[in-house]
Structures are given as structure tokens and as C-alpha cells.
């Protein structure tokens, strides 16, 4: 299990290769990479803030829940903070299991909880100023399946 909350950019392909190398007993690896989205075409940057220590503890607890719930061989979560440009990778989840269903479900579980419960605060910097990103009802509703 590996968690990294970092300001530095990361290469999703290289991270997936490193995660997959040497896995024993895994028959499936599932990964998801979130990208800074510019839906309106006016985003200059996404600024992400967090409280070191608190953020890592919350995400590690989510990762442990995933490992308790599904038979996972390994889990990886990377989440960036700081100022990110549109199109930049913002986060990555990877799960490995003997079977694909467990790997898919665990990855979705982690993505849903990261989106709704991880203690990050996001601000969009656009052409007409800055606005904090509010929680979305759809993201909250996604948690009900878990």
C-alpha cells in the first residue's frame, strides 16, 4: 500500500508500471487518473489546499477500508496539491487483486471517497476571478452504494 500527497507532477504511466512490477497473486490491475478539467474553457488553474497529516490519515483510513472489504494485493493513491494547470493529472488510484471485479470495485470505492471525503479544498482560478469548488450532490449520492 502506498500513498503520496504531493505538489510535484507525476507520470501516470510510470506510476502504473512501478505499481504493477513484482505483484504476486494479482490477476487484475485497475487504474484511474483524474485530470484537471476546464469545462468552460476559462480555467487558468486549480488550486488545491490540504492540512498535512490530517489528509494522509483520512486517505490511509480509506485505503485500509478498501483492503478490508476486497481481497486486494496492493493499493496506490496519489493526490496532488498546489496550483495545477488544466489538463494536468490531479490524482491516481490503482488497485490490484486476483480477480478483476474486486480491483474495479475497490478502485471505484476509493475514487468516490476521495472525491467526497478526502480533506482537500479546491479553488478554480478563471478569467473572471477565483471561486471555491462546492461539494456536488452527485458525488455525495455515489457514496450510497458503498
Amino acid at each position: 500500500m502506498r500513498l503520496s500527497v504531493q505538489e510535484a507532477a507525476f507520470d501516470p504511466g510510470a506510476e502504473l508500471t512501478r505499481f504493477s512490477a513484482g505483484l504476486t497473486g494479482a490477476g487484475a490491475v485497475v487504474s484511474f487518473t483524474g485530470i484537471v478539467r476546464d469545462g468552460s474553457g476559462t480555467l487558468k488553474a486549480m488550486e488545491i489546499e490540504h492540512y498535512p497529516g490530517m489528509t494522509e490519515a483520512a486517505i490511509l483510513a480509506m485505503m485500509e477500508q478498501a483492503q478490508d472489504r476486497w481481497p486486494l494485493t496492493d493499493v496506490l493513491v496519489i493526490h496532488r496539491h498546489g496550483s495545477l494547470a488544466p489538463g494536468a493529472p490531479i490524482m491516481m488510484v490503482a488497485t490490484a487483486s486476483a480477480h478483476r471485479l474486486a480491483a474495479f470495485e475497490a478502485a471505484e470505492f476509493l475514487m468516490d471517497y476521495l472525491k467526497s471525503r478526502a480533506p482537500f479544498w479546491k479553488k478554480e482560478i478563471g478569467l473572471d476571478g477565483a471561486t471555491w469548488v462546492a461539494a456536488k450532490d452527485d458525488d455525495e449520492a455515489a457514496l450510497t452504494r458503498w
Side-chain angles (χ1 to χ4, degrees):
M1 183 166 75
R2 182 169 73 92
L3 167 64
S4 181
V5 177
Q6 63 191 53
E7 191 168 355
F10 65 91
D11 177 342
E15 292 294 345
L16 185 58
T17 297
R18 183 177 352 209
F19 177 77
S20 300
L23 285 175
T24 56
V29 171
V30 170
S31 71
F32 172 84
T33 302
I35 307 295
V36 176
R37 177 180 42 227
D38 181 8
S40 65
T42 62
L43 185 70
K44 295 192 326 189
M46 169 81 69
E47 290 184 3
I48 301 173
E49 298 179 12
H50 76 108
Y51 289 112
M54 180 178 129
T55 302
E56 290 84 353
I59 296 172
L60 282 169
M62 292 174 209
M63 294 169 75
E64 289 169 0
Q65 285 179 36
Q67 285 189 308
D68 289 344
R69 199 162 174 178
W70 290 277
L72 300 176
T73 306
D74 204 357
V75 180
L76 166 70
V77 173
I78 300 171
H79 204 297
R80 292 184 62 197
H81 62 89
S83 183
L84 288 77
I90 188 172
M91 58 80 68
M92 179 178 182
V93 167
T95 56
S97 183
H99 302 284
R100 65 186 166 142
L101 183 60
F104 273 110
E105 287 180 349
E108 285 188 276
F109 168 84
L110 287 166
M111 291 180 301
D112 286 344
Y113 272 84
L114 283 166
K115 184 77 173 172
S116 300
R117 294 292 185 265
F120 289 102
W121 294 269
K122 299 174 185 176
K123 185 178 1 176
E124 292 181 340
I125 312 299
L127 298 177
D128 14 335
T131 57
W132 289 100
V133 177
K136 296 180 180 156
D137 291 339
D138 289 348
D139 293 335
E140 289 297 315
L143 294 177
T144 61
R145 66 186 172 147
W146 306 116

